[in-house]
Amino acid sequence: MNSERLYFDKSFVESLWENGLIIANLMFFLYVTGRDFYQNIEKSKPFGWTLFFFILVIVIISLGIISFLNSKKLEKIEGITQSENTKILKKIVNRNGWKLFEENKNLNIINISFLDTQTDYGKQIIVLYKNNHVLINCTSFAFGKTPNPYNWFSNKKMVEKFKTEFIENKNALQQHI
């Protein structure tokens, strides 16, 4: 929690499965498009389309690296007390029709079905409590429980929605008191 990053206790095989397949596929496409581009230049053939696809693969890999590096970051929200923060969280969950999957005094996990996001197999918002602060992260899934780093932008949007609703509820509760 001090580094404000989300870490999971996973085996090496699980980490390799989640990240290795994505990396292997991207490297394959980079190799194929780079090879075709190089061969077209070497043989003095037109290389416009091969250059386009080569640059496209580089852009996709760059976005993948950026989203992978940012996908485990925890966003910090200034809360009230842990019990009040939990009440606000439950209001947000009920208002949006989400499901509270896991609940204890230090952690809440909210499941958002794929019908709400319309982008993937579902999302989870992980909420951690540290003193009076709330730390949140949103993770998208593909193929069951495999995290999908390419939905980082939609995850960021979901985190911002949660933060906005949390702050609005916190301000309303403070004004009421």
Side-chain angles (χ1 to χ4, degrees), residues 49-63:
W49 282 108
T50 56
L51 175 64
F52 170 76
F53 286 119
F54 183 60
I55 292 173
L56 181 66
V57 168
I58 290 173
V59 168
I60 290 171
I61 288 173
S62 300
L63 289 174

Side-chain angles (χ1 to χ4, degrees), residues 4-15:
E4 295 184 4
R5 297 202 45 88
L6 192 60
Y7 293 101
F8 295 101
D9 187 22
K10 293 184 180 181
S11 70
F12 176 73
V13 175
E14 283 179 303
S15 296

Side-chain angles (χ1 to χ4, degrees), residues 78-140:
E78 185 74 35
I80 307 171
T81 64
Q82 191 166 341
S83 61
E84 294 295 328
N85 293 341
T86 305
K87 288 178 188 175
I88 293 171
L89 175 122
K90 288 180 180 179
K91 274 185 186 177
I92 294 170
V93 167
N94 290 333
R95 184 180 314 132
N96 290 304
W98 299 337
K99 294 181 178 100
L100 201 53
F101 176 70
E102 181 74 30
E103 180 180 2
N104 66 40
K105 68 177 190 168
N106 296 323
L107 166 81
N108 285 321
I109 299 175
I110 303 166
N111 280 344
I112 303 169
S113 75
F114 76 96
L115 296 174
D116 293 340
T117 61
Q118 297 177 353
T119 58
D120 56 8
Y121 290 93
K123 292 185 185 296
Q124 276 187 342
I125 296 178
I126 298 170
V127 181
L128 299 169
Y129 301 104
K130 180 182 177 186
N131 302 329
N132 292 336
H133 301 293
V134 177
L135 303 168
I136 62 172
N137 178 283
C138 185
T139 304
S140 292

